[in-house]
Amino acid sequence: MSKEKEVKVSAEPGFVSIREIPGVNPAIADKLEAAGFVSAWMLVVAKPEEIAEKTGIPAVTVQKVIENARKLLGIRFKTAKEVKQERLNVKKITTGSKALDELLGGGIETKTITEFYGEFGTGKTQICHQLAVNVQLPLERGGLNASAVYLDTEGTFRWERIEAMARAAGLDPETTMNNIYYLRVYNSDHQMSIVDELFSFVPRNNAKLVIVDSVTSHFRAEYPGREHLAERQQKLNAHLHQLLRLAEAYNIAVVVTNQVMARPDVFYGDPTQAVGGHVLAHVPGVRVHLKKARGNKRIARVVDAPHLPEGEAVFAITEEGIRDVEE
Ligand code: GTP
Ligand code: MG
């Protein structure tokens, strides 16, 4: 994430440097930055003890700085009317399939995490590619006129696929590829620390979508078996919470994928849930289960979402990307 290109800065909360916080003198700022805390948002979402520990700044000073950062960012009580207004600010990204969009209440929402989970080959990665393209579409075509961040933990990103999908969407392939910030993620620590960096990267690069494909693979590999289950879940939950804060802070969509096994007996506990099921159990968000159907058809079902209509959507993975099934 080092190559930061200054493009159009979004009108949303945006990047606020720690140096703008009242009471942060250059000495404090240097310590904060050295520890990776570059934006005001990063301070208000971090634990005070963690900031004190990483920077060596006294706890009382940290507390004061956080208070000032909150004020600066306008974090305070809101009226229900303001909450309503914020809800109206939620935006949607089209998946490329009307049926799938309808199932999701209009598309992939900002300010939340959407998890796609299912067996291998159910289309999780294809949906991620499609969304990285579609977020770039103009508003009237179901996009957000913005860029995407693509965190790839399994090495399954294909630029050729982006190129083909862009062309099919009538977008310039070169521009489209330039607006996808790709990062190969090598382990779970790397994965977690990147989210911290995204608190400054996202607003600076007008990113409105962050993809993590897959969110679980490193955690599963590094914390294998039942004996590491608690630790793994705890780390994953912390990671997902941090992603949710990112989504809320900048009004962006976060999409994560999670492969589940065809043979649930290899996992523990309830075979339809537990580790073989979705990972968003303790984090608010939208969970979408994907299932294979005949040929290139796939079936999506939204799980545990009282605000969305029940039912299923069938879509197709075509040469052009995610599409409705042709009758
Ligand atoms: P895992 O990551 O292994 O869990 O699977 P996944 O859910 O990410 O599956 P993925 O999105 O990779 O979907 C794979 C399916 O998409 C394949 O089975 C193909 O049918 C289809 N697919 C992948 N690439 C292409 C392509 O270039 N053209 C077309 N038409 N279909 C493709
Ligand atoms: Mg995949």
Side-chain angles (χ1 to χ4, degrees), residues 91-95 101 104 106-110 114 116 131 253 255:
K91 303 192 171 74
K92 285 160 190 177
I93 307 168
T94 179
T95 60
D101 285 352
L104 295 167
I108 302 288
E109 287 193 351
T110 59
T114 303
F116 287 97
L131 291 169
V255 170

Side-chain angles (χ1 to χ4, degrees), residues 4-75:
E4 293 198 356
K5 201 177 59 169
E6 289 294 338
V7 291
K8 189 178 56 180
V9 173
S10 82
E12 296 297 336
F15 178 79
V16 179
S17 163
I18 49 153
R19 290 178 191 271
E20 292 172 48
I21 303 169
V24 173
N25 62 33
I28 294 177
D30 289 347
K31 284 184 189 161
L32 287 168
E33 285 179 355
F37 298 102
V38 297
S39 77
W41 276 108
M42 289 174 78
L43 289 183
V44 301
V45 301
K47 288 206 181 81
E49 315 88 76
E50 185 197 336
I51 300 172
E53 194 187 311
K54 286 189 179 163
T55 59
I57 300 171
V60 280
T61 313
V62 168
Q63 207 59 55
K64 192 74 209 152
V65 167
I66 292 176
E67 267 172 42
N68 289 343
R70 284 197 188 120
K71 280 185 204 144
L72 181 64
L73 296 171
I75 300 175

Side-chain angles (χ1 to χ4, degrees), residues 26 36 54 70 90 100 170 205 211 226 230 268 282 296 307 324:
K54 286 189 179 163
R70 284 197 188 120
V90 167
L100 187 52
N205 293 282
I211 290 162
R226 188 187 269 280
Y268 345 86
H282 304 288
N296 66 352
H307 67 292
D324 278 326

Side-chain angles (χ1 to χ4, degrees), residues 119-126 128 150 154 156 213-214 257 259:
E119 283 178 45
F120 73 94
T122 46
K124 302 182 291 296
T125 298
Q126 293 302 307
C128 291
Y150 202 112
E154 300 176 319
T156 53
D213 183 24
S214 101
T257 71
Q259 193 197 63

Side-chain angles (χ1 to χ4, degrees), residues 1-2 12 14 27 44 46 48 58-60 84 91 117 132 146 152 171 187 193 217 220 229 243 286 297 305 312:
M1 299 268 107
S2 56
E12 296 297 336
V44 301
V60 280
K84 177 184 172 192
K91 303 192 171 74
Y117 72 104
D152 180 9
L171 292 171
N187 57 52
S193 68
S217 57
R220 289 220 176 105
L229 182 60
L243 284 167
V286 180
K297 292 190 192 124
E312 295 181 337

